[in-house]
Amino acid sequence: MMEFIRSKAGKFIIFPTVVFFLLFMVWGIIAETGQTAPNELGSVNGEPITVLAYQNAVESLTQQAQQGGTRITPEQQREIRQRAWDELVTDALLRQEMDRRGISVSDAEIVLAAKSFPHPQISQQEIFQTNGQFDLRKYQSFLASPQASDELLAQIEAYYRSMLPRMKLQRQLSAGMRVTDAELWRAYQDQNDRATVEYVSLDLTKLAPGQVNVTDAEVRDFFEENPERFERPRTARVTVAYIPKMVTDADRAAAFQNAMRIRQELAGGGDFAAVAARESQDPGSAQKGGDLGTFGRGQMVGAFDSAAFALPVGEISQPVETQFGLHLIQVQERTGDQVKARHILLPIGKSEEELAKLDARADSLSTLAESRGLDRAARLVGATVRRGVTVTETLPVIPGVGPAQDALDWAANPGETEDGKPALSDVFETENALYVLQRESYAPKGRMTLAEASPQIRRDLVVRKKRAQARVAGEKMVAEVRAGRPLAQVAAARGLTVGVAGPFARVEPNPVLGQANAAIGAAFGTPVGQVSGVVETPTGLFIIRPTQRVPADRKAWEAQKEQQRASVGYQMQQGTIERWLQSARRNAEIKDNRESLGVS
């Protein structure tokens, strides 16, 4: 088998055994082979999850994250460990449910599926394609040939033996779901009906000027009547000094220079496939010589798509920048709106040398802060300081730094210093920055006291009272417009202006009016040319006057209806599965011993 793979220069790659909505059953494989670990890391309804299974899952996810040479930060490693645990729990719940329902597959079903429905990564292999399209006969001939080793066939069998029961479970969980034509048409209308409106935003400073009195009794009553609003998550207030790791213009220039060097190598006769295997950071195509197969217009991101359909056949493109990095593209064939192309993806980021320099600066920041204080140390190494940064369990993020669960955990127990100065954290790292902390305050999870909640309650009640005043003024404006005065004249008399928004659909984000709120409803529900009442959204009060509405094209809807039905049906299935998993987790007895066993 390995000789066959080598003979094809890596064109055929054994596909990863990934189930269609989970990682492959790592725990299941270990259980079947009889390998066990002395410690149970936890259990799901009494079924053990072993240390070995967990470590294997963490290693697999880490390797995926490191593709392309990406450096994994401690914060990302934390997320990987949690994801590995969650996937092992999910796998156990699914396996238990399949056992409960008696779901199994026969050998005949596995053979039929393997012959008829190849794994997506197999169908993309060049040796199974004819004129850029997957050729089922080539694939079936390969399965029947000596080139399909016992090892590969066993791997294929394992994939379908795992996948097919899950497909049956998915069908059972989503049985009875049906989306009607009326529902599809309404969804299509929400996406394609368009409205243009004039609007007036009711400015509180002009319609409700002056001070508003809020009594202590009103604050106390609001606090007592809305206890759920004052449940406080674990919260820390910190001073942070950070050194950004963001890509600079110099990094971008260095990446472009490297791309031009590689392009020159290719233009001088370099083998594209060999260079792609050596340089490209696209794990899906690098070992296939950069081959992307055949694709149509609109299937790639904008800049890549434009370049691929403009580039002369055989020519190497100039570096094309997308959110993924820089691409060197070569179009091999173009037929109408179809292109066969290959590419080399080059990252835009910090070099290892630059990252080492950042590490050294961060170490200096930590060392200097111990003796000279955080502010002075930050000035000396060029770090940015932010004070009064709030980090909570529900939003563990620091502006400029990114995810900061490490910061919250450290603030819970920062330790003490001998001289009584505020303790300093170690250097923490995220994808965006290296940073050091000092704690200002910390509050465990619990209900806020009246004293803690009072400032926010008072501000909210002031806004509520001012909105009530503005609403009264707005209703008078509406009455004047309905009596015949122009909206612009009525607004100008109060120092307000008329704006225009649209055309927009019901479900798309609207930078002025918001999304899925009363203002959007008024835009589509008020007759064209007439004025709505005062409508309230989370961001303010509005008067809406629709000026134009363009209905969705029913013929266009009919032409794509079945495609829409398939898409909506798939979304409904995924939603059903997700809800089932959430319910199964709530009702399951899940024991997590990772912390007590010291397994990370």
Side-chain angles (χ1 to χ4, degrees), residues 234 389 459:
R234 204 158 57 102
V389 176
R459 287 192 293 270

Side-chain angles (χ1 to χ4, degrees), residues 437-499:
L437 301 167
Q438 278 184 338
R439 188 178 85 169
E440 297 177 19
S441 64
Y442 177 81
K445 181 179 179 181
R447 191 182 180 202
M448 297 171 67
T449 65
L450 176 59
E452 290 174 315
S454 288
Q456 184 60 52
I457 294 174
R458 198 172 295 277
R459 287 192 293 270
D460 290 348
L461 290 179
V462 165
V463 171
R464 181 177 294 189
K465 289 188 174 186
K466 282 183 171 286
R467 279 198 176 192
Q469 294 176 23
R471 177 179 286 278
V472 172
E475 288 168 351
K476 291 180 180 178
M477 292 172 61
V478 170
E480 291 178 25
V481 174
R482 289 175 177 172
R485 291 186 66 191
L487 179 61
Q489 187 181 98
V490 171
R494 291 153 172 94
L496 305 176
T497 58
V498 176

Side-chain angles (χ1 to χ4, degrees), residues 255-331:
F256 186 85
Q257 185 177 9
N258 181 49
M260 291 302 292
R261 175 187 62 78
I262 295 172
R263 183 178 185 275
Q264 186 174 6
E265 178 184 350
L266 296 171
D271 182 87
F272 195 104
V275 175
R278 185 188 76 216
E279 299 282 357
S280 182
Q281 301 301 304
D282 178 4
S285 71
Q287 297 308 312
K288 297 189 292 181
D291 183 32
L292 295 171
T294 301
F295 52 89
R297 286 188 184 275
Q299 289 185 247
M300 300 295 186
V301 292
F304 191 105
D305 191 79
S306 298
F309 283 93
L311 192 67
V313 173
E315 186 175 311
I316 307 297
S317 73
Q318 295 291 326
V320 176
E321 183 173 347
T322 71
Q323 63 264 44
F324 304 107
L326 295 175
H327 306 257
L328 296 174
I329 306 168
Q330 184 183 52
V331 173

Side-chain angles (χ1 to χ4, degrees), residues 187-499:
Y188 188 83
Q189 287 178 299
D190 286 344
Q191 294 172 342
N192 292 278
D193 282 352
R194 316 295 290 183
T196 301
V197 302
E198 294 179 341
Y199 69 91
V200 177
S201 177
L202 303 185
D203 188 337
L204 301 188
T205 62
K206 295 178 178 178
L207 298 182
Q211 298 295 317
V212 172
N213 182 47
V214 175
T215 67
D216 291 344
E218 288 175 315
V219 172
R220 184 176 57 255
D221 288 346
F222 189 89
F223 179 77
E224 293 175 352
E225 291 168 5
N226 300 275
E228 71 287 348
R229 293 187 56 175
F230 304 106
E231 290 297 324
R232 178 189 57 222
R234 204 158 57 102
T235 302
R237 188 178 176 89
V238 298
T239 296
V240 57
Y242 65 93
I243 300 171
K245 291 166 52 183
M246 305 301 288
V247 173
T248 64
D249 289 342
D251 297 323
R252 199 175 301 279
F256 186 85
Q257 185 177 9
N258 181 49
M260 291 302 292
R261 175 187 62 78
I262 295 172
R263 183 178 185 275
Q264 186 174 6
E265 178 184 350
L266 296 171
D271 182 87
F272 195 104
V275 175
R278 185 188 76 216
E279 299 282 357
S280 182
Q281 301 301 304
D282 178 4
S285 71
Q287 297 308 312
K288 297 189 292 181
D291 183 32
L292 295 171
T294 301
F295 52 89
R297 286 188 184 275
Q299 289 185 247
M300 300 295 186
V301 292
F304 191 105
D305 191 79
S306 298
F309 283 93
L311 192 67
V313 173
E315 186 175 311
I316 307 297
S317 73
Q318 295 291 326
V320 176
E321 183 173 347
T322 71
Q323 63 264 44
F324 304 107
L326 295 175
H327 306 257
L328 296 174
I329 306 168
Q330 184 183 52
V331 173
Q332 297 167 290
E333 299 174 15
R334 184 184 294 113
T335 306
D337 283 343
Q338 295 289 312
V339 159
K340 177 175 173 57
R342 54 186 179 177
H343 81 140
I344 297 171
L345 174 63
L346 304 167
I348 303 174
K350 298 287 187 188
S351 66
E352 288 300 319
E353 182 180 354
E354 287 296 315
L355 288 172
K357 290 179 181 178
L358 288 175
D359 289 340
R361 284 175 61 196
D363 290 339
S364 296
L365 171 65
S366 180
T367 302
L368 290 169
E370 292 284 354
S371 58
R372 304 190 186 189
L374 191 57
D375 285 330
R376 188 174 180 189
R379 287 195 298 272
L380 289 171
V381 303
T384 300
V385 175
R386 290 182 183 269
R387 299 184 182 283
V389 176
T390 299
V391 185
T392 69
E393 194 80 63
T394 53
L395 191 63
V397 174
I398 295 176
V401 169
Q405 186 67 42
D406 284 335
L408 186 61
D409 292 344
W410 173 82
N413 186 22
E416 299 179 359
T417 59
E418 294 180 0
D419 55 9
K421 294 180 180 179
L424 285 166
S425 74
D426 294 331
V427 176
F428 294 127
E429 181 179 8
T430 69
E431 189 175 358
N432 301 323
L434 296 155
Y435 67 101
V436 174
L437 301 167
Q438 278 184 338
R439 188 178 85 169
E440 297 177 19
S441 64
Y442 177 81
K445 181 179 179 181
R447 191 182 180 202
M448 297 171 67
T449 65
L450 176 59
E452 290 174 315
S454 288
Q456 184 60 52
I457 294 174
R458 198 172 295 277
R459 287 192 293 270
D460 290 348
L461 290 179
V462 165
V463 171
R464 181 177 294 189
K465 289 188 174 186
K466 282 183 171 286
R467 279 198 176 192
Q469 294 176 23
R471 177 179 286 278
V472 172
E475 288 168 351
K476 291 180 180 178
M477 292 172 61
V478 170
E480 291 178 25
V481 174
R482 289 175 177 172
R485 291 186 66 191
L487 179 61
Q489 187 181 98
V490 171
R494 291 153 172 94
L496 305 176
T497 58
V498 176

Side-chain angles (χ1 to χ4, degrees), residues 90-216:
T90 296
D91 186 65
L93 291 170
L94 287 167
R95 193 166 51 253
Q96 290 168 11
E97 182 66 12
M98 288 187 291
D99 289 344
R100 187 183 72 80
R101 292 171 179 251
I103 295 175
S104 62
V105 291
S106 66
D107 291 345
E109 288 176 304
I110 291 172
V111 171
L112 177 62
K115 288 183 176 180
S116 306
F117 308 106
H119 188 283
Q121 291 194 15
I122 284 184
S123 64
Q124 294 169 11
Q125 301 300 322
E126 185 177 345
I127 64 169
F128 299 135
Q129 294 185 351
T130 300
N131 297 326
Q133 301 296 320
F134 175 70
D135 190 327
L136 184 62
R137 289 176 300 176
K138 285 185 177 180
Y139 169 64
Q140 291 178 341
S141 296
F142 166 76
L143 290 180
S145 74
Q147 294 172 328
S149 68
D150 291 343
E151 177 188 0
L152 177 59
L153 293 176
Q155 190 180 26
I156 291 174
E157 179 186 353
Y159 169 73
Y160 288 103
R161 197 170 290 281
S162 174
M163 183 188 72
L164 292 177
R166 284 161 169 73
M167 292 182 67
K168 289 185 177 182
L169 176 60
Q170 183 183 34
R171 287 196 294 269
Q172 288 188 17
L173 290 173
S174 57
M177 287 193 317
R178 181 175 175 272
V179 56
T180 66
D181 282 3
E183 291 170 327
L184 291 174
W185 172 237
R186 283 196 297 272
Y188 188 83
Q189 287 178 299
D190 286 344
Q191 294 172 342
N192 292 278
D193 282 352
R194 316 295 290 183
T196 301
V197 302
E198 294 179 341
Y199 69 91
V200 177
S201 177
L202 303 185
D203 188 337
L204 301 188
T205 62
K206 295 178 178 178
L207 298 182
Q211 298 295 317
V212 172
N213 182 47
V214 175
T215 67
D216 291 344

